[in-house]
Amino acid sequence: MGEKKGFFGKLVAGLQKTRDNIIAGVDSIFSGFSAIDDEFYEEIEEILIMGDLGIQTTMSIMEDLRRKVKEQNIKDPLECKQLLMDSIMTQMDLGENAYEFEKQRSVLLVIGVNGVGKTTSVGKLAGQMKDDGKKVIVAAADTFRAAAIEQLSEWAKRAGVDIIAQQEGSDPAAVVYDAVAAAKSRHADILICDTAGRLHNKKNLMEELKKINRIIDKEYPEAYRETLVVLDGTTGQNALVQAKQFMEVADITGIILTKLDGTAKGGIAVAIQSELGIPVKYIGVGEKIDDLQKFNAKEFVSALFHVEEKEEA
Ligand SMILES: Nc1nc2c(ncn2[C@@H]2O[C@H](COP(=O)(O)OP(=O)(O)O)[C@@H](O)[C@H]2O)c(=O)[nH]1
Ligand SMILES: [Mg+2]
């Protein structure tokens, strides 16, 4: 419980700028208006868009808000705050099988452009799953730079998990081939593959991912497949563009949204789920092993609006 509070605290602190950006504005609207009129709605709308929730998401939140206000015959602008929070939460529903890969024997492919936090997230996830009593293997399939392999080795050491790696410049698919063999013979619960992110060369990236996927499909068909795109939360709408590009080259099953510590663009978490229909499954709020956790919509919205979460029995 202490750990969870710690993470929530970090999330609250991390979302400070987002909160200043969105919520301070929203609060002033709630207290500044005495009636719910078009102008009131327009101001909320503007703030949500500025807070990087995106036009589409904002429209659907506003529609939901207007409908509820009408249905519940609400007259006081202040009462709209909870409705707004509820509405944002509904935009971020995870779906039932979001973490199925943790229960089954699985292969988790982590993809994304350079610098977004792939290797760090692989390391954090490996550590946490190992702590949960799972047999974890990580694969250094970013063979582009020697530093990337070293970085993952460091994380593997820290996490106490096995790593499968080859030299710099080797074929990433060959690394994955070796890693799959190791996962099978060592009865790993999960194989987590780090990859290189050279989106500037989309064709190469596509070919590389296809090849990796073919190998996993062929050599390890019984494994449950999970493919997470890592997006840097500080890049705002650009993260959305990246996610769309990766959707074209792979079957994405979820998002890891990193660097939510200290960005004013935390609203992007809502936009990603709502606009792409892909759930944000993990969020990162720092560089340490515990600074990555499962996404919890209620916690996120509470942190965003800085409402103390009630302890649930
Ligand atoms: N503040 C912060 N930094 C992060 C987070 N996740 C990753 N980083 C940092 O972002 C940088 C790039 O991370 P890395 O894992 O190497 O990215 P990759 O190129 O996608 O593998 C590193 O300095 C990480 O420590 C996060 O959630 N918060
Ligand atoms: Mg990396």
Side-chain angles (χ1 to χ4, degrees), residues 8 10 27 48 90 123 200 205 211 248 297 299:
F8 184 69
K10 269 190 188 168
D27 272 344
L48 294 182
T90 349
H200 63 264
L205 180 77
K211 201 168 162 192
E248 288 170 22
E299 198 176 84

Side-chain angles (χ1 to χ4, degrees), residues 39-59:
E39 207 186 323
F40 170 76
Y41 283 128
E42 274 162 27
E43 291 218 9
I44 295 181
E45 197 175 296
E46 200 181 304
I47 281 164
L48 294 182
I49 289 171
M50 286 193 323
D52 261 298
L53 271 80
I55 292 177
Q56 233 174 292
T57 314
T58 300
M59 291 309 161

Side-chain angles (χ1 to χ4, degrees), residues 72-290:
Q72 299 172 31
N73 196 24
I74 289 167
K75 301 273 181 254
D76 183 358
L78 272 172
E79 281 183 61
C80 288
K81 182 167 176 172
Q82 188 59 47
L83 292 183
L84 189 61
M85 287 174 68
D86 291 345
S87 179
I88 293 176
M89 253 181 273
T90 349
Q91 299 292 323
M92 300 194 288
D93 196 21
L94 273 172
E96 271 172 32
N97 300 319
Y99 303 101
E100 187 64 25
F101 68 98
E102 291 186 340
K103 297 178 198 141
Q104 302 201 28
R105 192 143 288 191
S106 59
V107 177
L108 165 57
L109 206 58
V110 177
I111 63 181
V113 305
N114 276 338
V116 288
K118 290 182 298 298
T119 306
T120 308
S121 298
V122 168
K124 290 169 175 174
L125 280 173
Q128 292 177 16
M129 286 177 181
K130 154 97 193 211
D131 281 350
D132 282 346
K134 296 201 164 64
K135 169 82 184 164
V136 181
I137 296 180
V138 295
D142 176 359
T143 59
F144 202 56
R145 294 168 305 135
I149 302 170
E150 279 162 33
Q151 187 192 359
L152 190 65
S153 303
E154 281 299 313
W155 272 107
K157 213 184 286 168
R158 208 174 306 157
V161 304
D162 295 352
I163 178 168
I164 303 298
Q166 292 180 8
Q167 286 136 311
E168 175 183 359
S170 56
D171 181 0
V175 176
V176 170
Y177 183 90
D178 280 358
V180 164
K184 290 200 288 192
S185 69
R186 299 178 202 176
H187 304 287
D189 296 299
I190 184 160
L191 167 63
I192 311 178
C193 306
D194 190 19
T195 64
R198 283 162 289 149
L199 197 58
H200 63 264
N201 192 337
K202 200 164 131 191
K203 192 158 173 286
N204 275 0
L205 180 77
M206 199 181 326
E207 287 310 316
E208 189 168 302
L209 288 175
K210 262 193 199 153
K211 201 168 162 192
I212 289 175
N213 277 320
R214 254 199 318 269
I215 286 190
I216 303 169
D217 285 343
K218 182 157 175 272
E219 303 297 326
Y220 205 7
E222 66 272 33
Y224 186 91
R225 299 293 307 276
E226 181 78 22
T227 302
L228 301 180
V229 181
V230 181
L231 300 172
D232 177 340
T234 63
T235 61
Q237 291 296 314
N238 193 34
L240 205 66
V241 174
Q242 282 173 22
K244 282 183 186 155
Q245 288 174 321
F246 276 100
M247 283 169 84
E248 288 170 22
V249 300
D251 290 327
I252 311 302
T253 54
I255 307 283
I256 298 177
L257 190 60
T258 61
K259 309 186 194 182
L260 280 183
D261 43 321
T263 172
K265 299 171 188 283
I268 196 66
V270 187
I272 289 168
Q273 305 204 41
S274 169
E275 294 195 16
L276 306 180
I278 297 177
V280 173
K281 295 192 178 178
Y282 292 92
I283 51 176
V285 295
E287 300 183 273
K288 300 210 185 63
I289 204 155
D290 287 327

